[in-house]
């Protein structure tokens, strides 16, 4: 399909078409498309830009990742399809490990996703040979590696489902979520809830990581000064402000 | 997949799985799944129930449909997949015609959708042999029938895209949208913007139609007393109230 470049929602429609292709290729599941749509709605409510609270959470995310002993970036089908380049770039910048971990697991789909990440510059991607389980999750969804997700102290979960985010938080990990819905179970479970579109979030975290990486004192200040509850509250206030703005003159 | 019945989002996940099957069958497109997800997000913000402004808009929708000379219910892939029974039931109740009209048109998909609607009790479904075009729309998206969409004075468009809703409004039709996002281009273009989940909306409109159909004076009162702008404003206020409710105690 050709989307006219002057369409008011050009970028969003282009991403949709890209994801639809990724469904054909077996990287994204049809229900993954619904998750994307849910995110789109919140992005729309935030004016499709990084809000001030999102930038604060992204700076905190960079600080926690830099301070970690074993930081891991957890990649699922939607994340890999949406922006493999920036996921790989962030992993190099911190440095952090990447582990592919999916809800609808099959060996074929795992292999496709890992190969896709490697084609986009990711190195040493984990997930092929799981040797541990995330406690509290059923069946294949629990599978992970000791070296990666299981042994991580700080874990970045872009576009994660609520069950897994909660299970990871229950393991006393510092969970950093990227989830456009500030009220989702994932955002509620996380220690740092980044409510921003994934590409914007990754680019901002990479930028903040470059800025902070040689300044240990500033990393401490950012970590100590961050409150996730008040950050989520500010995000919701920003959404409501934008929602109500067009009705100022309606009685 | 087996979704546990006590899962906090059981109904929503069941609908997702159903739609994923409909993608396999070719009734729903992968990008249709994204549209569904966008709607889900707003449904979530409204507490997954019909708000008071939604009920008011649904009563107005029933009144406009009953008053119409040629009321038409426009059905696309998502609508047909989500609730063919209530679409057929509403058409009988008013009575109104049903026309299938899709964004990604192929003869095969049209035939599948019409057959699907007929299996669920819809009669005389239009759309197989279009003989008119909606002005202002490009290519196949404009195709419709003179007897149905083209000649309608009141048209119900559940889950319609913004371009088509605007084009129908430009034809001076009374457009009744069912779209969970009160700020979408579709909701903005409509004369009556129902912001509610489609099944709940249809069931409510059917109930109001039964209540109003023998009371012409009350139909007039409902139509004259309805303001779509203030209804949309109330919807957005309801969403913000629910969004902010969990942060009452956060400083």
């Amino acid at each position: 399909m050709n989307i006219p470049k002057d369409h008011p929602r050009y970028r969003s429609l282009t991403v949709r078409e890209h994801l639809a292709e990724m469904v054909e290729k077996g990287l994204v599941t049809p229900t993954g498309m619904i998750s994307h749509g849910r995110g789109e709605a919140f992005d729309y409510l935030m004016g499709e830009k990084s809000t001030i609270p999102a930038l604060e959470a992204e700076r905190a995310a960079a600080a926690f990742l830099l301070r970690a002993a074993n930081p891991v970036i957890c990649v699922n089908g939607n994340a890999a399809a949406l922006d493999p380049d920036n996921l790989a770039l962030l992993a190099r910048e911190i440095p952090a490990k990447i582990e592919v971990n999916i809800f609808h697991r099959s060996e074929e789909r795992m292999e496709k996703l890992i190969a896709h990440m490697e084609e986009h510059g990711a190195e040493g991607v984990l997930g092929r040979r799981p040797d541990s389980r995330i406690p509290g999750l059923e069946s294949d969804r629990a599978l992970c590696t000791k070296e990666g997700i299981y042994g991580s102290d700080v874990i970045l979960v872009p576009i994660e489902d609520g069950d897994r985010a909660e299970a990871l938080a229950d393991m006393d990990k510092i969970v950093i979520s990227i989830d456009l819905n500030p009220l989702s179970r994932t955002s509620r479970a996380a220690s740092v809830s980044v409510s921003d579109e994934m590409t914007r979030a990754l680019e901002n975290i990479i930028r903040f990581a470059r800025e902070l990486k040689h300044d240990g004192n500033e990393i401490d200040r950012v970590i100590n000064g961050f409150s996730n509850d008040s950050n989520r509250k500010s995000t919701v206030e920003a959404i409501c402000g934008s929602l109500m703005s067009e009705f100022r003159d309606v009685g």
Side-chain angles (χ1 to χ4, degrees), chain A:
Chain A
M1 201 175 88
N2 284 317
I3 302 154
K5 288 223 171 167
D6 59 350
H7 191 287
R9 309 203 47 262
Y10 174 75
R11 183 169 187 278
S12 159
L13 295 177
T14 308
V15 171
R16 282 188 183 189
E17 292 300 317
H18 170 68
L19 283 181
E21 284 166 25
M22 288 296 185
V23 172
E24 305 288 327
K25 288 188 183 168
L27 274 77
V28 172
T29 62
T31 56
M33 296 290 274
I34 295 188
S35 308
H36 181 73
R38 285 170 71 95
E40 264 193 5
F42 284 93
D43 197 18
Y44 171 95
L45 295 181
M46 292 192 266
E48 298 182 346
K49 60 180 176 13
S50 302
T51 62
I52 289 170
L55 290 164
E56 278 169 22
E58 285 151 359
R59 199 152 188 262
F64 277 107
L65 286 166
L66 290 168
R67 177 61 83 230
N70 187 20
V72 170
I73 300 171
C74 185
V75 172
N76 63 15
N78 278 30
L82 281 171
D83 196 349
D85 298 302
N86 276 313
L87 289 165
L89 196 56
L90 177 61
R92 275 201 300 282
E93 197 62 39
I94 296 298
K97 294 168 189 161
I98 289 179
E99 179 162 339
V100 171
N101 193 267
I102 55 183
F103 193 98
H104 297 279
R105 189 185 173 103
S106 75
E107 293 317 307
E108 190 195 347
R109 198 166 157 244
M110 281 297 289
E111 193 50 50
K112 275 186 191 172
L113 286 168
I114 292 172
H116 179 72
M117 288 304 301
E118 287 172 344
E119 278 163 30
H120 287 267
E123 285 164 23
V125 179
L126 299 168
R128 278 191 182 95
R129 282 174 296 276
D131 53 9
S132 305
R133 297 181 63 83
I134 302 168
L137 290 183
E138 283 166 26
S139 69
D140 286 355
R141 295 172 54 202
L143 294 172
C144 65
T145 73
K146 201 156 277 160
E147 188 188 347
I149 290 174
Y150 192 87
S152 64
D153 55 342
V154 176
I155 184 162
L156 176 68
V157 290
I159 319 173
E160 188 55 272
D161 80 293
D163 286 349
R164 194 146 41 197
E166 285 170 1
L168 292 167
D170 287 346
M171 291 173 81
D172 286 331
K173 298 179 188 308
I174 291 172
V175 175
I176 302 167
S177 61
I178 302 178
D179 184 330
L180 279 150
N181 176 357
L183 298 172
S184 70
R185 287 200 298 138
T186 297
S187 293
R188 286 171 210 262
S191 313
V192 180
S193 317
V194 174
S195 294
D196 202 353
E197 188 272 326
M198 195 185 79
T199 287
R200 291 197 308 265
L202 292 172
E203 287 176 350
N204 291 335
I205 297 172
I206 291 165
R207 183 163 49 86
F208 288 127
R210 284 178 184 155
E211 189 186 303
L212 289 170
K213 74 183 343 173
H214 304 296
D215 189 348
N217 289 338
E218 183 63 14
I219 290 176
D220 290 342
R221 271 194 295 275
V222 171
I223 288 176
N224 295 329
F226 182 74
S227 156
N228 202 45
D229 277 347
S230 74
N231 187 273
R232 286 205 303 129
K233 184 185 183 186
S234 303
T235 302
V236 174
E237 284 170 343
I239 290 174
C240 286
S242 122
L243 275 173
M244 291 308 299
S245 61
E246 80 166 282
F247 294 104
R248 285 208 187 95
D249 303 326
V250 177

